[in-house]
Amino acid sequence: MPKINKRNLIIYLAIFLAFSLGGKLIHTLVDFLWFKETGFSSFYLKSLYLQFGLGVAGAAIMGSFLFLNHWLAERFSRRAFVIIEPNARVSAPFPIPHISDVKPLVHVAILVGVFLASFIAGGWCSNQWEVVLKFLNAVAFNMKDPLFGKDIGFYVFTLPFYKFIYYFSVTTEILAILIVIATYLVNNRIHVTERGMQMADNAKAHILFLTGMLFLLVMFHFQIKMFDLLSVQRQLAPGAGFSSVHATLPGLKVLRFAAFLSALFLLSSPWFTNTKVTLGAVIALVAGTLIVKVYAEGIQKFTVGPNEIVKETPFINLAIENTRQAYGLAHVQELEFDPKEMLTLDTIKKNDLTVKNIRLWESRPLLTSYGQLQEIRTYYDFLDVDNDRYMVNGEYRQVMVSARELVPESIPSRNWINEHLTYTHGYGICLGPVNRISPEGLPEFFIKDIPPASTVDLKVTRPEIYFGESRTNYAIVNSEAKEFSYPSGDENVYSDYAGSGGVPVKNFLRRILFALHFGELKIIFARDLRADSRFLYYRSINERLKKAAPFIHFDSDPYIVISSEGKLFWIVDGFTATDAYPYSEQVSGINYIRNSVKATVDAYNGTISLYVSDPKDPIIQTYMKIFPKSFKPIAEMPKDLLAHIRYPQTLLNIQARIYATYHMMDPQVFYNKEDLWKIPLRTAGGRSEPMEPYYTIMKLANIGSKEEFLLMIPFTPAKKENMISWMAARCDEPNYGKLLVYNFPKQKLVYGPQQIESRIDQDAEISKQLTLWDQSGSRVLRGSVLVIPVDQSLLYIQPLYLEASGGGLPELKRIIVAYGNNIAMEENLELSLSRIFGGKVGQISKDSFTAAQGTAFDTKSLIRQARELYDRAQKSARQGDWAGYGEEMKSLEKTLKSLAEQK
């Protein structure tokens, strides 16, 4: 077998490094230019230096340790003595016909293995930069765990660093043992004879010494397992329970000591070479691990099981307290809400701002309608619709807003110039009230068309959207090519980028750099590029923010806002989270969360600003300590943007799921799950799914002095559908972020959303109409049942949309209103309310429901309503339902009075 050419080996390794690191170097340079342009270069350099340092240190430590042990094994193998009996027949563990030929090959293989292992370890270590920085800059929670008395920050910041060191050390030790064994095997220092395995003394001492170091790490492992008991997820409650504290924990302490003794035996192998004793220590440790597990299970079954509530009560209390604290539920304000059927027409008029901001348009049908009505061109798209609130003509209004973004896949004549130099941005937004509809059942607009035309006092002066939710590729602006701005009739309007975003081309070297990065040679030779041309990349909002602050978990739902100057900005909620909070329930892999950051991104310039919205959070305090120039206090956010921050749906969704269980503060009630809640289901697309929290404007009962923007969600008992309470998060200053829970009387039936849907389905007239619409090439889309508290009563609202079966333009055809035992379905909210309460909702019809239907409440509608009420009354009489008959007759009397007033 020919010898390995070391020169060729070095060349191969150099080629490997060039391919592995060359692309990364180009990527790093392009990223540095981006971070410099966005103002986050200090963060990037700090993280880059640390990543490089950790990578080099990790590779060097592992490589040195592995090579040192291989070198020692080779050196020990040169000694003359070998422990093999002279008359014993030797058989190698594997056939080695020509050891002199195989040995060089194995030697090279080991060196290559050391290199590859070190290279991989360096990459893994570099990815732990955030763990190291948090360890070095940890901020205390000022709260101690109940078992070991350590600050919560130890589990969030310090323990992950210890685990990083442990995993690196264990991997290094195991690889060193394997390399040493392979080296001794190929050097005939390990043999299998008729009397068993035989090793040279120095080989045995070397291997046992490394194994002893491994057992020191095993001792450290048991210590880590002790700390991990606090975050274990049990079926009863999170954290260490009775058996964990009284059986597993003492057992781990014993195992930790046993691992230490085993390590001492193994490390003393050069002087004490009784293999049976050391092997016995290893076996005892493994057996001890199994015994501890069996013992803990026995304690759980025979001691805890028969009297579980008594034994587990202290630990249930810990779980309740810590889980509520971890999810920001410790200071939820609980209020009583006793719904009464006392709504009148006058009460509704007094709460006109609440009623006129009831959301009738849902995201899915509205998004389709916006696409059909306002995309203008195929290369534009509305990717999302968001809820917000504005002062519109001096009145506080809830609106739906969506950005008209560019879709690269739909660009006409897709070529490099069109995709990257000509079609570079989206244009404008659509903004409209949540409750107004046209006579055709379509949404109305406050802002629409291209260029944006406004019918209210909101104006968009900078409609270009270079940065948005669309996953657009890079763009090159300020080039010689015409940059498409917007279509105007048969012609197009072109413009030049006047912003500060992007990285300037400057010189030919940068052209080469970006050409290599984007894999496009046209960048080098394109004549349209100038020195002042700018590369815009990382243009997707989520991608941009994750790049700038990868340690923050950003919401997947950015929403666009109009500033007072008419510019467009994206606002995104950022969260800090961990899975290491002691005695806290896990949801989606985390057991602590805070909405600590509000991020804004300029849709034109791409400027990123990170504002700290929860300065009390120790995790964000740690990041502020690490990257002081990356964050700003929330007070520095411009006032016109600050007015549009909102409580994130993602956070309230998580908090509601936790609160459904952890509102039970009594351990006995918690143990029996006597008062377990759930989030109500809604029917969508023929399947049931949990309701999402929804935004609304309303006046809070008992504590609210005026209408405010809220995010709310109802609760029902776990195995029933009647409503038990509702949770609200306040979005307006000075009460932003406060959580409220209104509890209903448990002895009183309050209809839940599912029950209202069932009652709607059972209504003969409504069911008949829905069946009719679901035929003849159309289908009905039912919106969520919204629970709207008005004064001390509850209104239930469900919009109905009609859409062609093959897809098309959804139209808002009916509004169903339920109140008490009454259900009404009419063309708009005004008619439905009037049908239930009688009379004319005149004061709020002027601007809130539909200007196009200002005369919709006419004599013909009242006559039809009276006829339906009479038919229902007769039906109730035939069925012997005299209570229902009386209710229908009362409503008929009100309708007849309204009819008389009309005449």
Side-chain angles (χ1 to χ4, degrees):
M1 184 178 292
K3 293 185 178 181
I4 300 295
N5 190 320
K6 293 185 177 180
R7 180 180 178 184
N8 290 342
L9 180 62
I10 294 173
I11 293 174
Y12 295 148
L13 292 177
I15 294 173
F16 171 79
L17 288 174
F19 276 100
S20 301
L21 301 179
K24 190 171 182 64
L25 178 61
I26 292 171
H27 179 75
T28 300
L29 291 173
V30 170
D31 277 357
F32 173 74
L33 293 174
W34 182 85
F35 277 99
K36 185 177 180 182
E37 175 254 325
T38 54
F40 287 84
S41 57
S42 60
F43 152 72
Y44 185 63
L45 290 175
K46 190 170 189 177
S47 61
L48 190 64
Y49 291 154
L50 186 58
Q51 288 180 62
F52 179 77
L54 286 173
V56 171
I61 291 172
M62 178 175 281
S64 299
F65 189 76
L66 297 182
F67 181 79
L68 174 64
N69 280 277
H70 172 64
W71 179 81
L72 287 174
E74 287 284 346
R75 185 178 180 87
F76 292 156
S77 297
R78 295 173 188 164
R79 297 185 181 182
F81 57 90
V82 179
I83 302 179
I84 299 178
E85 296 182 4
N87 298 325
R89 289 179 298 172
V90 178
S91 60
F94 51 84
I96 309 178
H98 300 289
I99 193 67
S100 60
D101 291 335
V102 175
K103 185 176 179 180
L105 182 63
V106 174
H107 180 74
V108 171
I110 289 175
L111 292 179
V112 172
V114 168
F115 174 80
L116 291 176
S118 303
F119 185 80
I120 295 171
W124 181 74
C125 287
S126 68
N127 290 333
Q128 306 303 311
W129 63 273
E130 187 181 343
V131 172
V132 175
L133 281 177
K134 288 194 291 186
F135 169 74
L136 296 174
N137 297 274
V139 173
F141 277 66
N142 294 320
M143 295 179 62
K144 294 185 176 181
D145 80 83
L147 195 57
F148 300 106
K150 292 186 175 294
D151 187 85
I152 304 298
F154 169 82
Y155 300 93
V156 177
F157 305 122
T158 305
L159 192 57
F161 177 76
Y162 288 168
K163 289 181 179 180
F164 158 55
I165 298 298
Y166 166 74
Y167 290 129
F168 177 81
S169 302
V170 165
T171 303
T172 303
E173 278 296 321
I174 292 174
L175 289 175
I177 292 172
L178 294 175
I179 287 174
V180 165
I181 291 174
T183 304
Y184 284 127
L185 277 170
V186 81
N187 283 286
N188 287 323
R189 271 358 185 218
I190 300 177
H191 290 276
V192 178
T193 71
E194 291 180 349
R195 300 188 61 179
M197 178 85 65
Q198 297 292 312
M199 283 187 284
D201 283 343
N202 48 12
K204 181 189 295 185
H206 191 182
I207 294 172
L208 291 179
F209 182 82
L210 289 176
T211 309
M213 294 180 65
L214 180 63
F215 270 76
L216 284 178
L217 293 172
V218 171
M219 180 189 72
F220 189 50
H221 164 74
F222 288 128
Q223 181 65 56
I224 291 175
K225 293 286 287 183
M226 290 165 57
F227 292 132
D228 282 343
L229 290 175
L230 295 183
S231 56
V232 68
Q233 298 298 302
R234 300 184 300 139
Q235 185 174 0
L236 176 62
F242 184 89
S243 62
S244 297
V245 173
H246 294 90
T248 306
L249 181 59
L252 288 173
K253 290 180 180 178
V254 172
L255 290 172
R256 181 183 60 180
F257 181 69
F260 176 71
L261 289 180
S262 299
L264 286 182
F265 279 123
L266 293 166
L267 290 172
S268 63
S269 59
W271 304 276
F272 180 75
T273 58
N274 191 330
T275 308
K276 293 181 179 179
V277 175
T278 54
L279 184 61
V282 174
I283 294 174
L285 187 63
V286 175
T289 304
L290 297 175
I291 291 171
V292 168
K293 184 177 181 181
V294 172
Y295 176 64
E297 291 177 352
I299 291 293
Q300 180 66 34
K301 184 174 182 179
F302 298 107
T303 302
V304 178
N307 200 18
E308 191 171 35
I309 181 60
V310 175
K311 298 293 185 182
E312 292 286 356
T313 290
F315 306 103
I316 292 174
N317 280 325
L318 288 174
I320 293 172
E321 178 186 352
N322 284 275
T323 299
R324 289 172 65 96
Q325 180 66 40
Y327 288 95
L329 299 170
H331 303 291
V332 172
Q333 184 179 359
E334 294 194 16
L335 301 165
E336 298 301 319
F337 191 94
D338 186 3
K340 297 178 175 59
E341 295 184 14
M342 53 187 295
L343 271 186
T344 64
L345 197 60
D346 290 337
T347 309
I348 290 177
K349 291 178 180 179
K350 289 177 182 177
N351 291 273
D352 65 324
L353 195 56
T354 295
V355 177
K356 69 172 58 175
N357 282 290
I358 294 174
R359 179 177 57 81
L360 302 181
W361 285 102
E362 291 201 348
S363 296
R364 181 190 173 281
L366 187 61
L367 194 61
T368 304
S369 295
Y370 276 7
Q372 295 282 346
L373 299 172
Q374 282 290 304
E375 279 181 2
I376 311 297
R377 293 290 189 271
T378 58
Y379 41 82
Y380 289 134
D381 196 4
F382 294 98
L383 303 178
D384 192 19
V385 181
D386 293 295
N387 279 270
D388 204 351
R389 71 286 197 196
Y390 287 84
M391 293 298 296
V392 179
N393 294 337
E395 189 173 37
Y396 200 46
R397 298 296 297 271
Q398 185 178 355
V399 299
M400 303 288 276
V401 59
S402 184
R404 186 184 292 104
E405 299 200 52
L406 184 72
V407 181
E409 294 79 10
S410 301
I411 292 174
S413 182
R414 291 189 66 183
N415 55 57
W416 184 77
I417 291 179
N418 275 348
E419 286 194 45
H420 301 287
L421 277 70
T422 303
Y423 293 90
T424 57
H425 58 274
Y427 201 89
I429 63 169
C430 283
L431 183 146
V434 295
N435 64 325
R436 287 178 63 167
I437 55 177
S438 71
E440 297 81 16
L442 300 176
E444 289 201 350
F445 299 96
F446 289 153
I447 299 176
K448 63 177 182 177
D449 295 340
I450 299 178
S454 175
T455 60
V456 294
D457 56 357
L458 297 174
K459 307 294 182 185
V460 178
T461 59
R462 177 59 76 184
E464 298 91 345
I465 301 174
Y466 285 88
F467 303 87
E469 294 185 83
S470 176
R471 294 195 63 83
T472 51
N473 209 329
Y474 68 94
I476 306 175
V477 295
N478 284 349
S479 67
E480 296 293 340
K482 292 184 176 180
E483 189 179 344
F484 173 79
S485 189
Y486 61 88
S488 179
D490 295 331
E491 298 181 353
N492 292 328
V493 176
Y494 296 89
S495 63
D496 290 323
Y497 182 69
S500 58
V503 177
V505 173
K506 282 191 176 180
N507 51 50
F508 189 71
L509 288 177
R510 283 198 180 179
R511 283 199 185 201
I512 296 174
L513 177 65
F514 283 108
L516 292 173
H517 177 72
F518 294 120
E520 182 54 71
L521 289 177
K522 291 185 179 69
I523 294 176
I524 299 177
F525 304 107
R527 296 182 179 180
D528 290 326
L529 270 62
R530 307 190 303 248
D532 61 342
S533 297
R534 308 177 77 89
F535 284 93
L536 307 181
Y537 50 104
Y538 299 140
R539 296 202 288 153
S540 168
I541 297 300
N542 282 318
E543 181 185 27
R544 196 170 182 83
L545 289 173
K546 287 177 183 177
K547 198 76 180 174
F551 42 85
I552 302 295
H553 304 272
F554 287 102
D555 200 330
S556 60
D557 184 26
Y559 58 102
I560 200 160
V561 170
I562 309 172
S563 73
S564 58
E565 299 175 347
K567 298 179 179 179
L568 299 177
F569 289 85
W570 296 94
I571 296 181
V572 189
D573 288 288
F575 306 99
T576 49
T578 182
D579 61 354
Y581 199 97
Y583 281 99
S584 179
E585 185 86 34
Q586 276 196 12
V587 173
S588 302
I590 62 170
N591 64 1
Y592 171 95
I593 188 171
R594 290 291 186 273
N595 176 210
S596 300
V597 173
K598 301 288 185 180
T600 64
V601 180
D602 189 324
Y604 189 71
N605 294 312
T607 307
I608 300 171
S609 297
L610 303 177
Y611 300 96
V612 177
S613 55
D614 188 358
K616 296 181 181 179
D617 171 39
I619 297 181
I620 199 63
Q621 289 178 17
T622 299
Y623 286 128
M624 292 170 67
K625 188 176 176 182
I626 298 171
F627 308 113
K629 296 181 180 180
S630 298
F631 298 96
K632 305 175 185 177
I634 192 69
E636 293 185 13
M637 180 183 280
K639 300 299 182 184
D640 51 350
L641 299 183
L642 185 63
H644 291 281
I645 64 171
R646 63 185 194 184
Y647 203 88
Q649 286 178 299
T650 300
L651 179 57
L652 190 65
N653 226 337
I654 293 173
Q655 290 175 315
R657 290 169 61 185
I658 290 295
Y659 195 80
T661 300
Y662 286 88
H663 70 278
M664 296 181 285
M665 302 289 288
D666 186 291
Q668 178 79 48
V669 176
F670 185 94
Y671 177 81
N672 294 321
K673 299 296 186 287
E674 297 173 17
D675 193 23
L676 188 65
W677 296 351
K678 69 175 182 179
I679 297 172
L681 299 177
R682 57 157 293 186
T683 302
R687 58 188 178 88
S688 295
E689 58 185 28
M691 288 184 64
E692 294 288 329
Y694 53 91
Y695 293 100
T696 188
I697 290 178
M698 58 173 283
K699 186 188 297 182
L700 287 167
N702 303 326
I703 63 172
S705 58
K706 63 178 183 178
E707 284 78 6
E708 54 184 294
F709 193 55
L710 302 170
L711 180 63
M712 63 176 291
I713 190 168
F715 290 107
T716 64
K719 297 182 179 179
K720 295 182 179 179
E721 298 302 334
N722 60 288
M723 201 157 62
I724 194 69
S725 70
W726 58 278
M727 174 182 277
R730 306 175 81 170
C731 299
D732 292 343
E733 293 292 348
N735 298 306
Y736 176 84
K738 293 182 179 179
L739 294 178
L740 307 169
V741 172
Y742 283 89
N743 295 313
F744 299 142
K746 294 183 179 180
Q747 69 278 7
K748 185 176 182 179
L749 173 63
V750 179
Y751 290 121
Q754 280 285 84
Q755 291 176 318
I756 293 297
E757 284 211 59
S758 297
R759 289 184 58 203
I760 292 171
D761 291 335
Q762 293 166 7
D763 186 284
E765 294 298 323
I766 295 177
S767 179
K768 178 181 176 181
Q769 186 65 60
L770 294 181
T771 302
L772 180 63
W773 279 334
D774 266 328
Q775 300 172 359
S776 304
S778 63
R779 62 172 179 168
V780 175
L781 304 177
R782 298 175 66 164
S784 297
V785 174
L786 303 180
V787 183
I788 308 296
V790 179
D791 201 35
Q792 287 291 335
S793 302
L794 294 176
L795 278 176
Y796 302 86
I797 312 293
Q798 183 179 46
L800 297 180
Y801 312 91
L802 194 62
E803 182 183 50
S805 296
L809 190 60
E811 298 176 358
L812 180 53
K813 282 299 185 184
R814 293 291 186 271
I815 306 298
I816 299 176
V817 175
Y819 173 72
N821 292 318
N822 298 317
I823 296 179
M825 182 178 75
E826 294 293 340
E827 288 87 351
N828 57 53
L829 184 56
E830 178 186 10
L831 289 176
S832 294
L833 290 171
S834 297
R835 181 172 163 185
I836 289 179
F837 297 104
K840 182 179 180 181
V841 194
Q843 290 184 355
I844 58 176
S845 65
K846 184 177 181 181
D847 180 60
S848 62
F849 300 106
T850 163
Q853 293 185 359
T855 60
F857 191 83
D858 54 13
T859 303
K860 184 177 179 180
S861 297
L862 285 171
I863 293 173
R864 184 186 64 190
Q865 181 176 323
R867 185 184 301 114
E868 290 177 354
L869 289 170
Y870 176 78
D871 291 340
R872 289 187 183 184
Q874 293 302 311
K875 181 179 179 181
S876 297
R878 288 193 299 271
Q879 295 175 349
D881 181 10
W882 299 109
Y885 174 80
E887 291 293 333
E888 298 294 351
M889 292 303 292
K890 286 181 181 178
S891 298
L892 178 59
E893 182 182 0
K894 293 179 181 178
T895 303
L896 292 174
K897 287 181 179 179
S898 299
L899 185 60
E901 292 174 2
Q902 287 283 334
K903 293 180 179 180

